[in-house]
Amino acid sequence: MADNDSPILVRPLPGFLATRYHGWKATTYAESKSWHRRLAAEGQRPRMMAIACCDSRVNVNAVFSAETGDIFLHRNIANLVPTFTPDGDHHGTSAAVEYAVRFLKVSHIIVIGHSDCGGVAGCHAMCSGEAPEFEEKTSFIGRWLDILRPGYEALPQGEDKAAQLRMLERAAVTTSLQNLGTFPFVREAVEAEELSLHGLWFDIGEGTLEHYVAEEGFTHV
């Protein structure tokens, strides 16, 4: 077993990534050098924050044709937002929301769920007893997915697993929207009409996008 006090081995950037970087620097960056320098000098002023899943197949910037500086992007497992819990512990997602609302003054927060979400499937497996390893207190994944447990408990039991997973993917979005409302500074900004909240669900294979509309549910954009 490795000594936890010994330094971990860190290697230089892999060659294929270094090649990609040099290509970007010579093309994309070179063509917009003045814009990058302006962002560096003046700081970021994104109009929106997007809370998306870590899934590599969900490219938020590409979907919205976003340029550098457009979106304050936060990713986590299953695009979840926890409830407001000021307990002095580490809270990466809550910190990102606080920074976006209180300091960047974004006008929109968009929660983006997606099809075939592994995190959502993990929550379903955990809650249905198929993944006992996630129930362990030491499981970071399991304790994070507890945020979505009420969504699982609300699923209609007559549906098959595939249908339940699609429902739970959308529940991950609506649960996060509800939890955003527990943050006092989010609620204050919404009530002052300085901030609006939005929920989306993206179908990876079809490229379609649904948005959440109150009293209607998810409808195609």
Side-chain angles (χ1 to χ4, degrees):
M1 182 177 293
D3 183 357
N4 289 334
D5 294 327
S6 62
I8 192 168
L9 181 62
V10 179
R11 297 186 180 279
L13 187 67
F16 76 95
L17 290 179
T19 299
R20 291 184 183 184
Y21 157 71
H22 288 297
W24 170 83
K25 185 71 181 296
T27 55
T28 303
Y29 174 81
E31 293 168 359
S32 56
K33 183 185 297 184
S34 60
W35 175 242
H36 282 81
R37 289 183 172 176
R38 179 177 174 181
L39 287 172
E42 299 179 3
Q44 60 172 327
R45 294 191 181 93
R47 296 177 58 187
M48 69 195 81
M49 175 187 192
I51 300 173
C53 184
C54 293
D55 197 305
S56 61
R57 299 169 296 173
V58 181
N59 190 335
V60 177
N61 288 317
V63 169
F64 295 112
S65 300
E67 300 291 341
T68 302
D70 284 349
I71 299 176
F72 184 69
L73 178 59
H74 177 77
R75 288 180 177 269
N76 62 42
I77 299 297
N79 42 268
L80 293 173
V81 177
T83 56
F84 178 70
T85 310
D87 57 5
D89 210 337
H90 302 112
H91 296 281
T93 297
S94 299
V97 170
E98 180 182 14
Y99 188 71
V101 175
R102 298 187 63 191
F103 298 95
L104 295 179
K105 306 291 186 183
V106 296
S107 298
H108 308 273
I109 296 181
I110 306 171
V111 180
I112 307 173
H114 67 94
S115 61
D116 306 306
C117 180
V120 168
C123 178
H124 190 283
M126 175 180 71
C127 295
S128 62
E130 297 175 5
E133 65 274 18
F134 289 161
E135 294 285 12
E136 298 292 332
K137 291 184 178 180
T138 54
S139 173
F140 294 112
I141 296 173
R143 302 296 61 74
W144 180 252
L145 294 176
D146 278 338
I147 297 170
L148 187 54
R149 191 181 290 269
Y152 172 84
E153 293 172 349
L155 290 174
Q157 297 305 306
E159 299 287 346
D160 62 26
K161 183 176 179 179
Q164 286 191 340
L165 287 174
R166 285 298 173 96
M167 292 177 187
L168 198 56
E169 286 165 0
R170 291 168 173 83
V173 175
T174 55
T175 297
S176 293
L177 291 171
Q178 292 170 358
N179 288 348
L180 280 169
T182 67
F183 288 75
F185 47 84
V186 170
R187 182 170 292 276
E188 290 169 6
V190 170
E191 291 176 350
E193 298 185 345
E194 297 170 350
L195 174 68
S196 60
L197 307 181
H198 312 272
L200 302 176
W201 180 83
F202 177 64
D203 189 307
I204 295 172
E206 298 299 322
T208 54
L209 192 66
E210 297 178 8
H211 58 168
Y212 178 74
V213 180
E215 300 178 359
E216 294 183 29
F218 286 85
T219 62
H220 284 285
V221 173

